[in-house]
Amino acid sequence: MSPVILFDFDGTIADSMDAAVTVANRLSAELGTAAITPETIERWRQLPLLEVLNEANISLWQLPQLLRRVRQELRQEMVRVAPIPGMADALKELQQAGFQMGILTSNSTDNVETFLRDRHLAHFFEIPCTEVSIFGKRRRLKRYLHRQGQSPADVTYVGDEARDIQAARANGIRAIAVTWGFSSRNILADADPDGLANHPSDLLSLVSAPLDALRIGARQPN
């Protein structure tokens, strides 16, 4: 069985921050959430997710409704969302190295598939996209391992937030954090990933290296 890499989508593969902020601000009056500014984003990058939700005036019971509305509104914004620079080349390298790839995301499957098709990236992903709740990745990764009969040692999850790292580590899966997404490098390092990628070109070496060597490097300050 080929080794597998599962990716988060927003902030990891897709540079969708501006589009998400546009949508969130468009919905702020409807949903009673705080408006988002560039200064807000920079502050939130230094905070755990629950603190971000608190500052944004979003309660956990509101979150499912908010995510549904944001996913719906993002459909019209996907046309202006670009891949993270260097990501297409990195995906090509990973595919040529024999990795099977898929996406596990709290965005909608329709939005992801539209993006992959329009940006000519769909052929890199043999594993169908899976849509999950914002806090549902841990359970969905466990289900994936069970259904596929895949050893955790052969699976990597790549994401840009602490919750991505935590979901992977809870299932014994290699956790690679990317520093070009939402969470700051400090927040990611505090979540104790198996490796930190500063550019998509780092991914192949990080998913291929011995874990002991990776974890020492991930803890070192930048």
Side-chain angles (χ1 to χ4, degrees):
M1 190 173 289
S2 299
V4 166
I5 305 172
L6 300 175
F7 288 86
D8 173 52
F9 178 69
D10 293 290
T12 301
I13 290 175
D15 190 4
S16 53
M17 176 67 75
D18 288 347
V21 169
T22 296
V23 167
N25 284 337
R26 186 188 303 156
L27 297 174
S28 61
E30 172 188 336
L31 299 174
T33 55
I36 302 171
T37 66
E39 293 76 20
T40 303
I41 291 295
E42 190 54 37
R43 184 173 69 255
W44 286 356
R45 293 189 74 239
Q46 314 300 323
L47 299 176
L49 178 59
L50 289 177
E51 292 186 33
V52 171
L53 294 177
N54 183 60
E55 281 208 7
N57 194 31
I58 300 170
S59 65
L60 290 178
W61 67 266
Q62 288 178 300
L63 198 54
Q65 177 193 8
L66 175 63
L67 285 176
R68 282 194 299 271
R69 291 291 287 118
V70 169
R71 287 168 177 169
Q72 291 167 0
E73 293 292 321
L74 270 174
R75 290 175 187 172
Q76 60 186 312
E77 301 291 336
M78 294 309 293
V79 67
R80 67 185 186 92
V81 174
I84 296 295
M87 182 55 67
D89 289 338
L91 294 173
K92 182 177 180 180
E93 286 184 343
L94 292 165
Q95 187 179 66
Q96 290 176 341
F99 290 93
Q100 289 190 335
M101 291 179 283
I103 292 173
L104 182 69
T105 176
S106 51
N107 204 324
S108 74
T109 299
D110 286 345
N111 287 344
V112 172
E113 291 179 347
T114 296
F115 171 89
L116 295 178
R117 182 186 64 246
D118 291 350
R119 301 303 180 183
H120 309 292
L121 299 175
H123 63 285
F124 291 122
F125 297 95
E126 299 179 45
I127 301 169
C129 175
T130 301
E131 179 181 324
V132 299
S133 68
I134 195 167
F135 292 113
K137 291 184 177 181
R138 180 181 302 191
R139 292 190 301 274
R140 192 52 64 97
L141 285 171
K142 182 177 181 179
R143 187 182 306 174
Y144 171 82
L145 293 172
H146 177 72
R147 288 184 174 179
Q148 300 300 319
Q150 192 94 29
S151 168
D154 294 329
V155 180
T156 298
Y157 191 61
V158 179
D160 69 322
E161 296 184 55
R163 62 191 174 96
D164 299 323
I165 301 166
Q166 293 158 358
R169 297 292 303 281
N171 286 284
I173 293 171
R174 181 182 302 227
I176 301 299
V178 302
T179 61
W180 55 80
F182 180 74
S183 293
S184 70
R185 196 182 198 282
N186 288 339
I187 288 289
L188 295 171
D190 286 346
D192 200 22
D194 294 307
L196 282 166
N198 295 309
H199 188 272
S201 60
D202 297 334
L203 290 172
L204 180 57
S205 62
L206 289 172
V207 300
S208 304
L211 281 176
D212 288 348
L214 277 181
R215 292 179 63 74
I216 293 171
R219 294 193 183 99
Q220 292 177 345
N222 192 18

